[in-house]
Amino acid sequence: MAQISLTFPDGNARAFDAGVTPAEVAASISKSLEKKAISAQVDGAHWDLQWPIDRDAAIAINTMNEDGPALELVRHDLAHIMARAVQEIWPDVKVTIGPVIDNGWYYDFDRAEPFTPEDLGLIEKRMREIIAARDPVRTEVWERDRAIAHYEASGEPYKVELIEAIPGDEPLRMYWHGDWQDLCRGPHLQHTGQVPADAFKLMSVAGAYWRGDSSRAMLQRIYGVAFKSKDALKAHLTMLEEAAKRDHRKLGREMNLYHMQEEAPGQVFWHPSGWTIYTTLQDYIRRRQRAGGYQEVNTPQVVDRKLWEASGHWDKYQENMFIVEVDEDHAREKAINALKPMNCPCHVQIFNQGLKSYRDLPFRMAEFGSCARYEPSGALHGIMRVRGFTQDDGHIFCSEDQIESETATFIAFLSRIYADLGFHDWTIKLSTRPEKRIGSDESWDRVEKALGDACRAAGYEFEVLEGEGAFYGPKLEFTLTDAIGRDWQCGTLQVDPNLPERLQATFIGADGAKHRPVMLHRAVLGSFERFIGILIEEHAGKLPFWLAPRQVVVASITSEADEYCREVAEKLTAAGVRAETDLRNEKINYKVREHSVGKVPVILAIGHREVEERTVTVRRLGEKQTSVAALDEICAELETEATPPDLRAG
């Protein structure tokens, strides 16, 4: 029999018969590894223990200690186990697909009756019984015709359609979990008992069109989450409970920040309190950008398709653009425009006005650019995913040899802003050259090195995302981690020599000749809408005092205190604090509860004693204890707290 060579992670290689399986390789190493093995990595591909290896390859045996492979297998097996449980309880249910997703899986079913919460409990119980049975998992490769005939005979039309949609005529892999069978690429665990029975939970049911087509059947999608241990599942469920409390949609209603309605899908109606957050944040970013050497501009909302054709967006991005047709006077055909989905092409137009010299570079341009992008209605999510938004958009026009210094400067700029906004835990990812790209390898080498060196010079390490850059250049992504451990990708810096080329941007070099600038697309917050949603959830509505829309409520305990309440509010307002009075004929505890729900940071309660002593009783949000302060003392204290971080002394 032919021999193959398998190379292990320590660099040692051994000869095996061609067709050897990873399970046999593990057994040849030790009995303990044979028992612990769950899958393998073969030349970097995730490999089932039952699959034969017929070529020389690098191999590593996975155990439950390897989180990535282990979680993938646990979640994938649970998708199959759940589908098996459903069909064992309700044999008439048709199955479709069940992929692994973040933290778990889902599976789509065709069932006449809707699944109920009680049904989810029944399914979970049956799943644990299947796990306890330790049924073997086996796999075979079938010819396509045989697979189609099998699913036609068993009344599974969705599986038949899936097979018919798979290009080519290669054989198909089939898996059995006990007697239950599914079409699947794998890999899987070796028996159902390898799945932790106490580390999963079925979460919810949602509608889903077959293959995402609204003209096709509406299916029922059951979502589950799974981890390697009961403790990890408990931590995840606790995080979800905390996330629900912090949901910006819930807090947005309680704080009366904004609303959305069907007449303007994916667009925000900002209320006074919400708009106060928006403009306060925008004013802060404006000051930071001005100090950072950016020139603020403003460009049109509606732009002729000619510019989008020249920039390449018309071909590559049109499905996400809102098209505007206009009957121009005396025109034989309608003029076709688009609401801008991004600001970059318009910024090149400003750069192109007048001759630019190498002495003008770097040329930093910023805009609070209002953009519109079509998002499917099912993808809209509060103010986090919208169709109308404003970016803290900036573009730096520079020469290639300025990329490193401008990147380092931007990272320092971004880090100051994130720190001011309470985010100290964030990471950088460097997306490198994709397989299909423009430009020479030498140019990519220089630019990727410049970005990496800039990160290190700024004091930050980074993760490399191989092949995930744009076709025209690499980029940096800045990902925040919030108070409950969720990651949010917000800031970006994208190197782009392509758009200046397409839109004929030039500068006069020291040699007197024309040269193309490199364009650095950069953002710190991303969209204001999304970032405000992140801020609300990060702080659970208890925004930093300087950002809080309603900073102080001066509440009367008795009507005899009304005049002094007004005086306190006026003094605070004069000091730059957003203060209001609550003089209603309600008990002070009622007022405190109401304003606490609205996340007002400070409530100043005033009764007879406070009037006589010219003091206030201070109640801070989230604190059980109150304190008494002199009027001048609390005004000075709150004036300092209300000052944005960039304007504070020192």
Side-chain angles (χ1 to χ4, degrees):
M1 182 177 285
Q3 294 277 293
I4 60 171
S5 175
L6 298 182
T7 304
F8 294 91
D10 62 3
N12 289 325
R14 286 177 56 190
F16 292 89
D17 290 338
V20 67
T21 66
E24 293 167 336
V25 173
S28 74
I29 296 172
S30 71
K31 283 290 183 184
S32 62
L33 184 60
E34 180 184 16
K35 291 180 179 179
K36 293 177 182 177
I38 58 171
S39 65
Q41 302 297 131
V42 176
D43 283 343
H46 200 185
W47 208 265
D48 195 297
L49 289 179
Q50 301 178 52
W51 297 351
I53 307 170
D54 57 9
R55 66 182 187 275
D56 293 349
I59 187 172
I61 303 298
N62 296 322
T63 68
M64 278 292 182
N65 291 329
E66 280 72 47
D67 281 351
L71 285 170
E72 179 188 341
L73 292 173
V74 166
R75 290 163 180 168
H76 199 175
D77 277 54
L78 279 165
H80 283 213
I81 291 170
M82 182 177 75
R84 171 181 163 181
V86 167
Q87 288 199 309
E88 288 182 352
I89 300 170
W90 300 283
D92 59 329
V93 172
K94 308 300 182 189
V95 293
T96 62
I97 56 172
V100 172
I101 57 174
D102 287 347
N103 299 314
W105 79 93
Y106 69 78
Y107 209 112
D108 289 346
F109 300 98
D110 187 352
R111 183 186 182 217
E113 296 296 321
F115 289 109
T116 66
E118 292 75 20
D119 290 338
L120 296 188
L122 283 175
I123 298 167
E124 279 192 3
K125 181 175 181 292
R126 183 62 189 130
M127 290 172 69
R128 291 191 172 92
E129 291 170 352
I130 293 169
I131 292 168
R134 299 175 65 86
D135 286 337
V137 176
R138 61 188 180 87
T139 181
E140 293 180 5
V141 175
W142 284 9
E143 294 298 324
R144 182 180 298 243
D145 290 346
R146 181 185 176 190
I148 291 174
H150 169 78
Y151 286 122
E152 287 177 340
S154 57
E156 296 287 5
Y158 298 100
K159 295 296 182 183
V160 173
E161 186 175 334
L162 283 171
I163 293 171
E164 291 174 340
I166 297 173
D169 57 0
E170 68 277 5
L172 304 172
R173 186 166 290 281
M174 314 294 268
Y175 270 91
W176 284 260
H177 291 67
D179 293 330
W180 186 86
Q181 183 273 334
D182 201 2
L183 168 74
C184 185
R185 280 185 291 222
H188 280 282
L189 295 167
Q190 301 308 292
H191 61 81
T192 61
Q194 289 180 297
V195 173
D198 59 356
F200 76 91
K201 182 176 179 55
L202 302 188
M203 301 298 294
S204 61
V205 182
Y209 291 112
W210 171 233
R211 311 197 77 170
D213 185 345
S214 59
S215 67
R216 305 295 302 276
M218 173 63 80
L219 307 173
Q220 296 186 67
R221 177 172 294 177
I222 298 180
Y223 287 94
V225 295
F227 298 88
K228 293 198 308 179
S229 69
K230 183 179 180 179
D231 287 344
L233 173 65
K234 183 178 179 181
H236 178 74
L237 296 178
T238 300
M239 185 275 289
L240 292 181
E241 289 176 9
E242 185 62 30
K245 296 176 188 175
R246 295 167 178 261
D247 191 321
H248 74 281
R249 296 166 298 179
K250 170 180 173 287
L251 292 171
R253 290 190 298 272
E254 294 174 353
M255 297 171 69
N256 192 23
L257 301 181
Y258 68 91
H259 81 274
M260 309 182 83
Q261 62 189 62
E262 62 183 16
E263 288 82 1
Q267 298 175 85
V268 186
F269 290 79
W270 289 104
H271 298 185
S273 288
W275 194 242
T276 297
I277 299 172
Y278 196 110
T279 54
T280 301
L281 184 60
Q282 190 177 75
D283 290 344
Y284 162 77
I285 294 293
R286 176 175 281 119
R287 291 191 301 271
R288 282 294 192 200
Q289 288 184 158
R290 189 178 297 128
Y294 289 88
Q295 303 179 64
E296 187 174 334
V297 301
N298 189 265
T299 58
Q301 294 282 98
V302 181
V303 180
D304 192 288
R305 66 178 286 178
K306 293 175 183 176
L307 181 59
W308 304 116
E309 288 172 344
S311 69
H313 291 96
W314 194 259
D315 289 334
K316 298 184 182 298
Y317 205 76
Q318 186 182 155
E319 64 182 20
N320 298 106
M321 298 168 73
F322 287 97
I323 308 302
V324 181
E325 294 186 352
V326 181
D327 285 314
E328 297 282 5
D329 290 340
H330 310 300
R332 293 184 179 179
E333 58 183 30
K334 292 181 178 180
I336 300 178
N337 305 284
L339 298 180
K340 66 177 178 180
M342 63 268 299
N343 304 294
C344 343
C346 293
H347 285 191
V348 179
Q349 305 314 300
I350 292 178
F351 181 86
N352 284 347
Q353 296 299 301
L355 283 176
K356 298 293 188 299
S357 159
Y358 69 96
R359 295 187 182 90
D360 298 315
L361 304 185
F363 188 91
R364 305 186 187 111
M365 191 186 307
E367 177 178 8
F368 299 120
S370 294
C371 300
R373 296 179 188 173
Y374 174 75
E375 296 279 0
S377 58
L380 300 177
H381 179 72
I383 59 175
M384 296 279 208
R385 189 83 177 264
V386 291
R387 291 177 177 174
F389 58 93
T390 299
Q391 296 175 303
D392 68 321
D393 208 4
H395 293 93
I396 302 167
F397 295 85
C398 64
S399 60
E400 188 175 303
D401 60 8
Q402 292 173 322
I403 291 174
E404 181 176 340
S405 60
E406 284 301 298
T407 300
T409 298
F410 173 68
I411 294 172
F413 174 81
L414 172 141
S415 65
R416 281 195 299 271
I417 292 173
Y418 283 176
D420 284 349
L421 295 174
F423 293 101
H424 301 281
D425 187 6
W426 50 274
T427 59
I428 305 176
K429 296 176 183 178
L430 169 58
S431 297
T432 60
R433 69 196 76 183
E435 190 173 323
K436 294 182 179 179
R437 59 185 181 269
I438 61 173
S440 67
D441 286 346
E442 292 77 10
S443 175
W444 279 88
D445 288 341
R446 288 194 302 272
V447 175
E448 288 174 357
K449 182 177 185 301
L451 294 186
D453 288 349
C455 292
R456 296 186 190 94
Y460 294 94
E461 291 302 315
F462 53 90
E463 176 186 353
V464 176
L465 303 180
E466 295 286 354
E468 294 192 21
F471 74 93
Y472 49 77
K475 67 177 176 179
L476 297 177
E477 294 180 350
F478 301 86
T479 301
L480 302 173
T481 301
D482 71 10
I484 58 175
R486 296 173 301 180
D487 289 338
W488 304 94
Q489 195 271 304
C490 295
T492 58
L493 184 137
Q494 171 76 60
V495 179
D496 183 4
N498 180 60
L499 199 59
E501 177 76 28
R502 293 184 71 104
L503 298 181
Q504 305 299 310
T506 61
F507 68 93
I508 305 300
D511 58 0
K514 287 186 176 182
H515 299 269
R516 295 275 184 226
V518 174
M519 191 176 185
L520 305 181
H521 307 256
R522 48 108 293 189
V524 177
L525 308 185
S527 89
F528 276 88
E529 288 74 10
R530 180 171 178 266
F531 199 86
I532 289 171
I534 294 170
L535 278 173
I536 292 169
E537 297 197 1
E538 159 73 8
H539 296 286
K542 302 172 187 176
L543 294 170
F545 191 82
W546 68 277
L547 261 180
R550 301 169 63 220
Q551 293 172 326
V552 178
V553 169
V554 185
S556 61
I557 298 173
T558 173
S559 60
E560 284 80 2
D562 288 359
E563 184 176 346
Y564 182 51
C565 287
R566 294 188 187 96
E567 179 187 342
V568 171
E570 288 170 3
K571 189 174 180 67
L572 286 168
T573 301
V577 178
R578 291 187 282 276
E580 59 191 74
T581 59
D582 184 346
L583 309 179
R584 293 175 297 166
N585 185 25
E586 300 284 357
K587 292 185 177 181
I588 189 63
N589 287 343
Y590 176 87
K591 295 179 182 181
V592 169
R593 281 195 303 272
E594 182 178 279
H595 297 307
S596 296
V597 169
K599 300 297 186 287
V600 176
V602 175
I603 300 171
L604 303 181
I606 296 177
H608 288 297
R609 187 185 68 179
E610 287 82 6
V611 173
E612 291 175 0
E613 299 176 355
R614 293 190 63 78
T615 59
V616 295
T617 295
V618 183
R619 296 172 178 266
R620 288 188 176 268
L621 185 63
E623 295 181 3
K624 294 182 179 179
Q625 300 298 318
T626 61
S627 61
V628 176
L631 177 57
D632 288 344
E633 175 190 329
I634 194 65
C635 283
E637 183 179 327
L638 294 178
E639 180 181 8
T640 299
E641 292 181 35
T643 304
D646 62 307
L647 298 179
R648 292 175 190 165

